[in-house]
Amino acid sequence: MTTPSVQRPTTAVFFAQSAIAFGLSLTAVLAGIAKLPVGAWERAFLGLGLVFVVSSAFTLAKCVRDRQEAEEMTSKVDRARVDRLLTEQDPFDPNRV
């Protein structure tokens, strides 16, 4: 009675593409910071900002993933409860109220 949820696994190619894109963008920004015609303190400030942005992006991605997993688990529990109630009900039972 339960409808299985559709799982779309991440393919190896998509994962590689994402990792390469992340690496290239991080390298490009680091190279841009290194080549800026500013002092060491300004470069350090921009580098620290970049570290904060990258760590915040990873944290946000983890939070989104955790929320999706929690919603999926909740929907599975709700679905199991409904399935149990439906299997306990017999529509042809003459003593049913």
Side-chain angles (χ1 to χ4, degrees), residues 10-50:
T10 302
T11 63
V13 176
F14 180 73
F15 183 79
Q17 177 187 359
S18 299
I20 290 169
F22 175 75
L24 286 175
S25 65
L26 186 61
T27 303
V29 171
L30 285 173
I33 290 172
K35 297 291 183 178
L36 278 176
V38 293
W41 284 105
E42 290 86 359
R43 280 196 191 102
F45 177 76
L46 291 173
L48 191 60
L50 178 64

Side-chain angles (χ1 to χ4, degrees), residues 64-83:
V64 169
R65 184 198 63 205
D66 290 348
R67 181 176 285 175
Q68 285 176 335
E69 287 177 354
E71 288 174 1
E72 182 177 315
M73 181 56 84
T74 303
S75 67
K76 283 182 182 180
V77 170
D78 289 342
R79 222 178 306 137
R81 286 180 183 159
V82 169
D83 288 343

Side-chain angles (χ1 to χ4, degrees), residues 42-66:
E42 290 86 359
R43 280 196 191 102
F45 177 76
L46 291 173
L48 191 60
L50 178 64
V51 168
F52 181 69
V53 167
V54 169
S55 66
S56 297
F58 280 120
T59 303
L60 177 62
K62 183 187 177 306
C63 289
V64 169
R65 184 198 63 205
D66 290 348

